[in-house]
């Protein structure tokens, strides 16, 4: 049985699978369409699957996609561990600018689901860490937005130690700059 519970940011969920261990290893169902639709209230269609392998201290994100088209994401860490971060970047949301972090690893094998409009980032806690994520729409560079993960206004509590970011993420706009530029999505309540 998969346990799916809402996180504190509307439109994000933590998925904890039941693991079945025996002398051969383990088995788990990390995604069940019916159970997911029941818990979240709508289906999740997969249009693209991604794999990211990162060394300790690598921060990827904060990334989001224009709405429309939007992009829901379903993320898990299949090897190693990451601090996975959901950031509410939806203008008008009651939790705008707030973030929530969840450890994803190859022990608990949890996953996080994000609705379109939410920002996503993670930091590799191990050397290496492999993250797999399912996306509801294919990659479109013209629709992707990036917000600086080290933006002091967000105050994300990244792990201590050396950090490595791509040039694109390191020079990305702050939330205030993205807001002023009008590139953040509008909040649309669920339901």
């Amino acid at each position: 049985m998969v346990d799916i519970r809402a996180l504190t940011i509307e439109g994000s969920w933590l998925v904890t699978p039941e693991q079945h261990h025996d002398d051969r290893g383990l088995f788990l169902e990390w995604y069940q369409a019916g159970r997911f639709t029941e818990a979240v209230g709508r289906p999740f269609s997969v249009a693209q699957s991604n794999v990211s392998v990162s060394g300790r201290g690598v921060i990827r994100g904060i990334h989001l996609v224009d709405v429309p088209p939007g992009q829901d994401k379903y993320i898990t860490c299949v090897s190693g561990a990451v601090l996975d971060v959901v950031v509410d970047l939806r203008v008008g949301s009651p939790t705008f600018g707030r973030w929530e972090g969840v450890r994803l690893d190859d022990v608990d094998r949890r996953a996080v689901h994000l609705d379109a409009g939410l920002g996503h980032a993670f930091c590799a806690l191990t050397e290496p860490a492999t993250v797999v994520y399912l996306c509801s729409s294919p990659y479109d560079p013209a629709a992707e937005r990036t917000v600086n993960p080290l933006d002091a206004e967000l105050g994300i509590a990244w792990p201590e130690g050396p950090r490595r970011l791509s040039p694109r993420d390191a020079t990305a706009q702050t939330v205030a700059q993205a807001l002023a530029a009008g590139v953040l999505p509008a909040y649309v309540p669920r339901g």
Side-chain angles (χ1 to χ4, degrees):
M1 183 65 157
V2 174
D3 176 55
I4 302 174
R5 70 172 179 84
L7 294 172
T8 62
I9 296 173
E10 179 185 336
S12 63
W13 290 266
L14 180 64
V15 181
T16 305
E18 180 179 355
Q19 298 184 52
H20 305 277
H21 297 269
D22 65 22
D23 62 345
R24 300 168 296 161
L26 74 94
F27 174 84
L28 62 100
E29 296 169 342
W30 76 283
Y31 176 76
Q32 296 174 339
R35 177 73 180 101
F36 180 84
T37 300
E38 177 186 312
V40 172
R42 62 185 172 84
F44 174 64
S45 298
V46 177
Q48 181 172 317
S49 299
N50 301 322
V51 175
S52 174
V53 180
S54 303
R56 181 188 305 268
V58 169
I59 296 175
R60 295 187 186 263
I62 303 167
H63 301 151
L64 66 151
V65 174
D66 288 343
V67 179
Q71 186 181 72
D72 293 6
K73 294 179 181 177
Y74 192 88
I75 303 122
T76 193
C77 182
V78 296
S79 177
V82 299
L83 172 64
D84 196 81
V85 176
V86 179
V87 183
D88 193 346
L89 296 172
R90 302 166 299 179
V91 178
S93 168
T95 54
F96 177 79
R98 207 164 88 199
W99 64 274
E100 183 168 2
V102 176
R103 181 185 172 97
L104 301 179
D105 59 35
D106 58 9
V107 176
D108 294 330
R109 301 188 187 278
R110 300 182 304 177
V112 170
H113 172 78
L114 315 159
D115 275 355
L118 294 172
H120 178 252
F122 66 85
C123 179
L125 303 173
T126 58
E127 183 72 45
T130 303
V131 173
V132 173
Y133 50 107
L134 308 176
C135 302
S136 66
S137 63
Y139 175 69
D140 177 0
E144 187 174 59
R145 302 288 171 236
T146 304
V147 171
N148 193 306
L150 304 180
D151 182 351
E153 186 176 321
L154 289 173
I156 297 173
W158 296 112
E160 294 296 322
R163 298 176 180 148
R164 292 184 284 163
L165 285 79
S166 72
R168 179 175 168 230
D169 291 343
T171 60
Q173 296 178 319
T174 64
V175 171
Q177 291 167 332
L179 189 58
V183 296
L184 296 179
Y187 170 67
V188 178
R190 290 185 121 251

